[in-house]
Amino acid sequence: MGAGRLLTNEDIRLYYQSIFDQCDRDHDGFVSLEELTAFIKTTEQVPSSAPLTPIIVNNYERFDQNHDNRLDFEEFVEMITNDTFLKDFTNLGNRYVKFLVVPVCRTKRITKVQLQRMHTITGMYENEVKFKATDIGMIMLSLIQIILFYTSFKDQLVFKHDKRQQVWRYVTYMFTHNSQFHLFENVAIQLLVGLPLEMVHSWRVLIIYSAGILGGALFQSVIYPYEDLAGGSPGVYSILTAHIATVIMNWREMSQPVVQLIIFGTFSVFDTIYNYITIRNSDEISYISHLGGAVCGLLVGVNILRNLRETNAEKIIWWICIVLYFGIMSTFIGLELRLNLSKGAQPTR
């Protein structure tokens, strides 16, 4: 999965297919004039009242060669790779069309193409980083945590080892923090790392955060059954390792994947595995819950974050991660249920 690999004809076909699928909103295998108009206006970032419609109609009619008022895949590719079309729609060309191709013959079979110039798709991931009005999950989560820190609800939300039957505490402890430093440290990472991740992957980031919170609580409760837990740190570590997951699954589409993997990987490993091995849990910091959140963030991230162009190797990684996740979670949930039923459990430290 090394960056910079030259593209094959199959790479090009798959890449154009992904663009075609984005435009084909009703998934009927054809692009209508309405679908093309919506796609271009979204990409060009212009008001719907802008005078683009005549230009779109003109381009559409030029490439609808059988005049059936819809573009099939070959007609669509021929249109978006045409010089006139690219000049008319600059943003679309800059964002999507990364290759220059010429047909081998006039039968318009996209499987028969020659490369006029070879390019990679590095940077495709960064083109997806774009704030949308719906990308407010990390912002709202941080605001709720700040508000609840200054209220008296902590006792009802924090995870307490002697109140395991109140199952909401396995998740709601993420809204409680022991100090202002603890709170604002987590909020800063949530916004600096989680928000950019949310700009690409939307609602999936909150699911990963919640999975990390649940995993952190289970790791803590099973391994240190007589200790309480507060704070959103396991969720924070889950979005840190989720960033590792998106680097792995979008390796060729991302700029500087090696650098990003080293930065996030080194920090995550050092601050979870290394600290837990050398320090264990302390009265102030639950390193085992950090580790649980990190593990869940990585495994769930691989499974639900957007993969811009899936390869066979990534499909194998996906299956490995989903089996590992359900195996680990089933084991810890089983141990936790056994612990809850046990009357004579002894502390591990």
Short mmCIF file of all heavy atoms in Angstrom, two decimals, residues 20 81 107 132 158 170 172 196 222 236 282:
data_model
loop_
_atom_site.label_atom_id
_atom_site.label_comp_id
_atom_site.label_asym_id
_atom_site.label_seq_id
_atom_site.Cartn_x
_atom_site.Cartn_y
_atom_site.Cartn_z
N PHE A 20 -18.76 8.44 -10.43
CA PHE A 20 -20.06 8.19 -11.04
C PHE A 20 -21.09 7.81 -9.98
O PHE A 20 -22.23 8.31 -10.00
CB PHE A 20 -19.91 7.06 -12.07
CG PHE A 20 -21.18 6.71 -12.79
CD1 PHE A 20 -21.58 7.42 -13.91
CD2 PHE A 20 -21.98 5.67 -12.35
CE1 PHE A 20 -22.76 7.10 -14.58
CE2 PHE A 20 -23.16 5.34 -13.00
CZ PHE A 20 -23.54 6.05 -14.12
N THR A 81 -13.90 14.08 -18.43
CA THR A 81 -12.49 14.17 -18.82
C THR A 81 -12.29 15.09 -20.02
O THR A 81 -11.15 15.26 -20.48
CB THR A 81 -11.93 12.78 -19.16
OG1 THR A 81 -12.74 12.17 -20.16
CG2 THR A 81 -11.89 11.90 -17.93
N THR A 107 -15.26 3.12 -29.38
CA THR A 107 -16.40 2.37 -28.86
C THR A 107 -16.77 2.79 -27.45
O THR A 107 -17.74 2.29 -26.89
CB THR A 107 -16.08 0.87 -28.86
OG1 THR A 107 -14.92 0.65 -28.06
CG2 THR A 107 -15.82 0.37 -30.28
N LYS A 132 -19.04 20.81 7.50
CA LYS A 132 -20.45 20.88 7.15
C LYS A 132 -21.25 21.23 8.38
O LYS A 132 -20.79 21.01 9.51
CB LYS A 132 -20.91 19.53 6.56
CG LYS A 132 -20.12 19.10 5.33
CD LYS A 132 -20.55 17.73 4.85
CE LYS A 132 -20.10 16.63 5.80
NZ LYS A 132 -18.65 16.51 5.88
N VAL A 158 -21.00 9.26 37.18
CA VAL A 158 -19.68 8.64 37.27
C VAL A 158 -19.81 7.12 37.40
O VAL A 158 -20.79 6.61 37.94
CB VAL A 158 -18.90 9.24 38.46
CG1 VAL A 158 -19.51 8.78 39.78
CG2 VAL A 158 -17.42 8.88 38.37
N TYR A 170 -21.71 2.92 32.58
CA TYR A 170 -20.65 2.44 31.71
C TYR A 170 -20.37 3.43 30.57
O TYR A 170 -19.33 3.34 29.92
CB TYR A 170 -21.02 1.08 31.11
CG TYR A 170 -20.91 -0.07 32.08
CD1 TYR A 170 -21.98 -0.39 32.92
CD2 TYR A 170 -19.75 -0.82 32.17
CE1 TYR A 170 -21.91 -1.44 33.81
CE2 TYR A 170 -19.67 -1.89 33.06
CZ TYR A 170 -20.74 -2.19 33.88
OH TYR A 170 -20.65 -3.24 34.77
N THR A 172 -22.04 7.05 30.76
CA THR A 172 -22.23 8.44 31.20
C THR A 172 -21.05 9.01 31.97
O THR A 172 -20.96 10.22 32.15
CB THR A 172 -23.49 8.56 32.08
OG1 THR A 172 -23.39 7.68 33.21
CG2 THR A 172 -24.74 8.22 31.28
N PRO A 196 -11.60 17.49 12.91
CA PRO A 196 -11.17 17.21 11.53
C PRO A 196 -11.57 15.81 11.07
O PRO A 196 -11.91 15.61 9.90
CB PRO A 196 -9.64 17.37 11.60
CG PRO A 196 -9.40 18.28 12.74
CD PRO A 196 -10.46 17.93 13.74
N VAL A 222 -13.25 -4.87 34.78
CA VAL A 222 -12.85 -6.26 34.86
C VAL A 222 -11.48 -6.42 35.51
O VAL A 222 -11.27 -7.30 36.36
CB VAL A 222 -12.84 -6.90 33.45
CG1 VAL A 222 -12.17 -8.28 33.47
CG2 VAL A 222 -14.27 -7.03 32.93
N VAL A 236 -11.30 9.86 24.12
CA VAL A 236 -10.25 10.65 23.46
C VAL A 236 -9.24 9.73 22.80
O VAL A 236 -8.82 9.94 21.65
CB VAL A 236 -9.57 11.58 24.47
CG1 VAL A 236 -8.28 12.16 23.90
CG2 VAL A 236 -10.52 12.70 24.88
N SER A 282 -3.07 4.41 38.50
CA SER A 282 -2.78 5.23 39.67
C SER A 282 -4.08 5.80 40.21
O SER A 282 -5.14 5.62 39.61
CB SER A 282 -1.82 6.38 39.29
OG SER A 282 -2.46 7.30 38.43
#
